[in-house]
Amino acid sequence: MGSSSLAVQSAREAVLQQCQRIAGNQPVERVTLLESLGRVLAEEVSLDSDQPPFARSMRDGFALRTEDVQSAPVVLRCIGEIKAGEMSATFLRSGEVMQIMTGAAVPEGANAVVMVENTDRRSDGQVQVLKPVRAGENIAPKGSERRAGDTALRPGRRISTLGASVLATTGKAGVLVYRRPVVAILATGDELVAVEEVPKGGQIRNSNSFSLYGQVLKSGATPLILETAKDNLPDLRRQVQRGLESDVLLVSGGVSMGKYDLVEPVFEELGVTIHFESVSMRPGKPTVFATWKDRWLFGLPGNPLSTFVAFELFVTPVLRALQGLPAADLPVVRGQLQTDVVERSGRSAFLPAYVSSGSGMLEILPVTWKGSADIFGAVESNALLIVPAQASRLTRGETVEALLFEELGYANEGRL
Ligand code: AMP
Ligand code: MG
């Protein structure tokens, strides 16, 4: 393969094309309901019973027949009490009421519940109903939400908090979910020292392993940090081979044009298929994407922001696909640019920016940033402003797009 750069869109398509090959064949596992939160559902879940399973009172009050209270206020005879969890054996006849609690089954014969606030309990066991009640009032009929056999959750989506509630209600104690892919993270470079160490002349601390670890976790996969590889063939070879034991291998550094950038030679030596080795983007140009059997390999640029951006664009789709999610979806938002932006690279640019929801439209403000090594500028951002390759200038007030990677900023001062 030549050394020409691929357009970002073409590079994404190359990744997505590989993702299609695994569609429908991703490994699954059964986990407990609690463990399933945040995992991607791999089975269709249907209801084992009507919901509600019985006519349910939605209030504390009295079950009655509406024809008895047309001319309320009216006094009726209270013949008993129904607690939640009970079913009354008595048929409610005209002139009678039964006291009922929220969540209890409405007795046969009753067609409404008057809330306790609209009644007056007499000492002699009689109840005065103060207002007329509509038929069906304060009753959720059996099966009014869903019927037995109806689909409650479809596969291919992450199980949300409310999803867990649906699973519990439908009796799913064990849930089939897609397996979390294991992602090996391999930092490379003779200059790298561990976070506990004090760098000596020319050395720096390895930070990419940590940002990648976070990105992998956020994507729902399981990160595995490998021991940093030195810039020599034997060490790199050994560590890359170790990385191939995982589903995905992310190598950071060693993919530029330097004399000791040996990642590609090692990939080639192992006989992997290289799909691209350079993308026309800033930051993140020297990104390598390769596959080998059912393994996925990425050579990510060493500069911290380059690695970060390349992950968001090219690794994310693979981790989504491996978890049974639609690979192509990206959290792109549109909003109003808050300053002018000049971009001279001629490549697609992804510039750290802060996106917040103001009074109406989203606002997108690029952060002050000194380029692909500057994590201190970028740490203030929650998104990447997308500057298309053909644009050399974006103007304040223009509608632009940004790729969100952290929570949106909210400027609503707690107002609803
Ligand atoms: P390279 O592609 O190996 O030439 O790396 C490009 C730049 O990124 C160099 O300044 C490296 O020191 C830096 N770099 C590479 N790996 C890491 C890492 N794991 N953490 C922080 N910086 C790194
Ligand atoms: Mg290096």
Side-chain angles (χ1 to χ4, degrees), residues 145-404:
E145 293 162 1
R146 290 283 189 284
R147 291 284 181 195
D150 282 356
T151 300
L153 291 176
R154 287 178 206 291
R157 290 235 233 141
R158 271 194 208 289
I159 297 166
S160 64
T161 312
L162 289 177
S165 178
V166 165
L167 290 170
T169 304
T170 53
K172 292 291 287 181
V175 188
L176 200 67
V177 296
Y178 288 100
R179 191 170 66 76
R180 291 187 193 277
V182 179
V183 182
I185 297 168
L186 175 59
T188 73
D190 288 346
E191 76 279 27
L192 301 180
V193 298
V195 59
E196 300 81 5
E197 287 176 48
V198 180
K200 298 194 202 69
Q203 295 181 326
I204 59 164
R205 292 193 181 99
N206 166 18
S207 66
N208 289 350
S209 294
F210 296 88
S211 55
L212 287 171
Y213 190 96
Q215 287 177 298
V216 170
L217 266 189
K218 270 192 166 181
S219 310
T222 302
L224 174 71
I225 295 182
L226 302 182
E227 200 185 312
T228 299
K230 296 283 179 200
D231 287 322
N232 63 66
L233 279 172
D235 204 38
L236 201 56
R237 206 177 275 143
R238 187 163 42 89
Q239 289 301 77
V240 166
Q241 255 156 354
R242 191 158 294 167
L244 284 173
E245 290 165 19
S246 298
D247 299 296
V248 181
L249 168 61
L250 307 179
V251 184
S252 97
V255 284
S256 339
M257 302 300 280
K259 188 174 164 196
Y260 298 100
D261 291 328
L262 302 171
V263 171
E264 258 196 279
V266 167
F267 278 9
E268 273 164 6
E269 207 180 84
L270 291 168
V272 308
T273 307
I274 295 185
H275 302 285
F276 59 76
E277 53 189 6
S278 176
V279 184
S280 181
M281 63 191 269
R282 184 179 85 90
K285 187 164 184 271
T287 298
V288 180
F289 169 51
T291 49
W292 178 75
K293 297 184 183 170
D294 62 347
R295 303 293 197 244
W296 306 76
L297 298 86
F298 288 90
L300 302 173
N303 271 314
L305 249 290
S306 312
T307 272
F308 182 85
V309 173
F311 182 105
E312 293 296 311
L313 292 177
F314 306 116
V315 182
T316 302
V318 172
L319 301 188
R320 289 177 63 85
L322 287 170
Q323 289 172 85
L325 289 169
D329 292 2
L330 279 176
V332 173
V333 295
R334 293 165 75 80
Q336 192 180 48
L337 186 62
Q338 303 298 299
T339 57
D340 290 349
V341 172
V342 177
E343 173 57 42
R344 295 199 180 82
S345 71
R347 297 178 246 153
S348 302
F350 297 86
L351 310 178
Y354 189 70
V355 181
S356 57
S357 95
S359 47
M361 203 177 180
L362 293 182
E363 295 175 358
I364 303 180
L365 178 67
V367 302
T368 310
W369 177 62
K370 300 200 172 71
S372 57
D374 177 18
I375 41 173
F376 299 98
V379 74
E380 303 297 332
S381 66
N382 62 355
L384 298 163
L385 166 66
I386 303 171
V387 188
Q390 61 279 9
S392 55
R393 184 184 185 87
L394 298 177
T395 317
R396 178 191 171 144
E398 223 180 296
T399 301
V400 292
E401 290 188 328
L403 181 65
L404 266 187

